[in-house]
């Protein structure tokens, strides 16, 4: 199978590319490098012995996307391309709506022109919003986002449902991620955002590596066992493998299907922090700060549907996540 990965040099995209290539598929990557690095191509090649075809393009650019489809026989698309920082989306919402919706619409229109009918979409647990009780399952209302980033995911899910209804042969698997962490066991690819990380694990790792001075834990007075927020942390390699399972599912089914990808096991901020310190034998200075606007006390998945439909289940432990995250920092720093 020849698979197009939009945003394929990013954190999740690059790990998914590795799993695709190792499974014997071909990969074509389209990425504008706004939050990724072209050197990831070298790392993918070192891990797999194969170099994916790469187009440095913006997926909003209709002519550029047309060129990718014209020059390649694309069997399916995994759509990662999009802006993803919650806080930034609140400061510049129009940029998020323009970029995230435009990439999807341009992609769908070009897929239609070329007869490509299989799409796996990188959605998010943010679509469940603040009012659904945990654990989240797919039949809950999923148009209750609390920030522009989350709303773009909810809107795109609706666009895909409408597109599938109007095109009965089209399949869209809407993968709702929880909290991806970790890196490839080689240490060659990992969570490497431009600038200061927005997410907990890469921030912890950079404090441990001396690149950042101090971690602030946002709130220890939530109604949780240790007072800090509970999240569903998922190893990025498990997540990447979930995309291959979704491609297999899309080959046998039609229509839109939303599926959670998570472990179903909540872990607190302090539990993850202390696991990182224990597993890697490092110091991570931290302070307790006030609550951060928009943080929910708990967010974790009911992951039964993924096991039932995709035959997928997360396998890696919190310790694996911590060990592999630190391995990437050590390799990257050196």
């Amino acid at each position: 199978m020849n698979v197009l990965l939009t945003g394929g040099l990013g954190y999740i995209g690059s790990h998914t590319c590795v799993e695709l290539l190792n499974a014997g598929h071909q990969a074509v990557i389209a990425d504008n490098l706004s939050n990724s690095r072209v050197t990831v191509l070298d790392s993918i090649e070192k891990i797999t012995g194969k170099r994916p075809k790469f187009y440095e393009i913006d997926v909003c650019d209709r002519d550029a996307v047309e060129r990718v489809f014209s020059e390649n026989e694309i069997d399916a698309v995994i759509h990662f391309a999009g802006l993803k920082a919650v806080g930034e989306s609140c400061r510049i919402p129009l940029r998020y709506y323009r970029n995230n919706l435009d990439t999807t619409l341009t992609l769908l229109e070009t897929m239609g022109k070329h007869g490509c009918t299989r799409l796996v979409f990188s959605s998010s647990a943010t679509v469940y919003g603040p009012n659904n009780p945990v654990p989240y399952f797919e039949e809950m209302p999923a148009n209750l986002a609390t920030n522009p980033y989350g709303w773009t995911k909810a809107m795109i899910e609706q666009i895909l449902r409408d597109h599938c209804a109007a095109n009965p042969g089209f399949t869209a698997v809407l993968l709702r991620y929880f909290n991806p962490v970790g890196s490839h066991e080689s240490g060659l690819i990992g969570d490497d955002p431009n600038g200061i990380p927005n997410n907990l694990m890469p921030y912890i790792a950079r404090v441990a590596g001396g690149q950042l001075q101090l971690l602030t834990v946002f709130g220890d007075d939530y109604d949780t066992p240790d007072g800090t927020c509970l999240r569903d942390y998922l190893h990025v390699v498990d997540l990447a493998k979930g995309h291959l399972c979704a491609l297999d599912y899309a080959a046998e089914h039609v229509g839109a299907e939303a599926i959670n990808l998570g472990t179903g096991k909540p872990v607190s901020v302090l539990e993850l922090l202390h696991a990182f310190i224990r597993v890697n034998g490092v110091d991570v200075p931290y302070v307790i700060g006030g609550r951060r606007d928009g943080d929910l006390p708990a967010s974790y998945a009911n992951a039964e549907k993924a096991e039932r439909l995709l035959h997928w289940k997360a396998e890696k432990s919190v310790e694996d996540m911590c060990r592999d995250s630190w391995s990437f920092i050590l390799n990257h720093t050196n």
Side-chain angles (χ1 to χ4, degrees):
M1 190 186 311
N2 197 24
V3 182
L4 171 63
L5 297 93
T6 68
L9 290 184
Y11 175 43
I12 301 169
S14 60
H15 287 82
T16 302
C17 185
V18 165
E19 296 303 318
L20 278 170
L21 294 174
N22 283 341
H25 301 295
Q26 290 81 46
V28 177
I29 292 176
D31 198 305
N32 67 359
L33 304 179
S34 64
N35 194 33
S36 59
R37 294 172 174 81
V38 73
T39 52
V40 171
L41 283 170
D42 300 326
S43 299
I44 291 171
E45 187 173 17
K46 286 179 183 177
I47 295 168
T48 66
K50 304 170 187 176
R51 192 174 186 87
K53 195 171 184 179
F54 172 59
Y55 291 82
E56 185 179 347
I57 64 167
D58 190 324
V59 182
C60 293
D61 184 336
R62 186 181 304 274
D63 292 339
V65 176
E66 170 63 30
R67 181 163 62 90
V68 173
F69 276 84
S70 295
E71 294 178 1
N72 302 273
E73 292 289 335
I74 303 297
D75 300 304
V77 178
I78 305 178
H79 182 30
F80 298 105
L83 301 173
K84 64 175 186 175
V86 169
E88 184 182 61
S89 77
C90 295
R91 295 193 302 273
I92 47 174
L94 292 185
R95 184 182 176 209
Y96 271 67
Y97 287 116
R98 171 68 71 183
N99 181 85
N100 292 5
L101 297 180
D102 270 7
T103 56
T104 304
L105 293 170
T106 299
L107 182 62
L108 288 173
E109 288 167 353
T110 310
M111 289 176 70
K113 182 178 176 181
H114 289 267
C116 183
T117 60
R118 277 183 279 173
L119 177 73
V120 175
F121 173 55
S122 170
S123 192
S124 167
T126 56
V127 301
Y128 289 112
N131 298 323
N132 285 311
V134 290
Y136 298 139
F137 58 91
E138 293 85 351
E139 289 70 30
M140 286 177 168
N143 57 349
L144 302 169
T146 57
N147 56 76
Y149 162 75
W151 273 115
T152 66
K153 296 297 187 182
M155 290 176 176
I156 292 168
E157 284 197 6
Q158 187 60 50
I159 289 168
L160 291 171
R161 282 190 286 269
D162 291 342
H163 185 66
C164 288
N167 297 272
F170 196 90
T171 303
V173 185
L174 320 175
L175 295 181
R176 295 174 178 167
Y177 309 161
F178 279 72
N179 293 77
V181 295
S183 70
H184 192 267
E185 62 183 8
S186 67
L188 292 173
I189 55 174
D191 196 352
D192 193 20
N194 294 332
I196 296 174
N198 291 298
N199 297 325
L200 178 61
M201 182 65 94
Y203 206 106
I204 290 173
R206 280 155 181 74
V207 172
Q211 296 164 280
L212 295 171
Q213 184 176 7
L214 190 70
L215 171 71
T216 298
V217 175
F218 295 111
D220 66 349
D221 58 350
Y222 288 96
D223 185 17
T224 61
D226 65 14
T228 63
C229 293
L230 296 172
R231 295 292 181 264
D232 191 336
Y233 296 104
L234 170 68
H235 199 293
V236 67
V237 172
D238 280 333
L239 178 59
K241 291 177 179 177
H243 290 76
L244 272 67
C245 296
L247 285 176
D248 290 340
Y249 177 83
E252 303 293 333
H253 299 79
V254 294
E257 194 73 59
I259 303 175
N260 292 336
L261 290 187
T263 66
K265 300 174 183 177
V267 175
S268 78
V269 170
L270 284 180
E271 284 176 324
L272 186 70
L273 171 61
H274 292 310
F276 188 95
I277 293 169
R278 182 183 71 253
V279 167
N280 297 310
V282 294
D283 185 35
V284 182
Y286 72 94
V287 295
I288 303 296
R291 293 187 181 190
R292 184 171 55 182
D293 288 344
D295 277 348
L296 299 175
S299 173
Y300 54 96
N302 177 313
E304 293 174 359
K305 188 175 182 179
E307 188 169 4
R308 185 175 73 252
L309 297 188
L310 304 185
H311 310 295
W312 172 91
K313 187 176 182 179
E315 297 177 349
K316 291 181 177 290
S317 67
V318 170
E319 288 73 19
D320 294 327
M321 302 173 203
C322 294
R323 186 180 303 108
D324 292 340
S325 294
W326 183 232
S327 175
F328 174 71
I329 288 294
L330 292 176
N331 190 69
H332 189 70
T333 301
N334 292 339

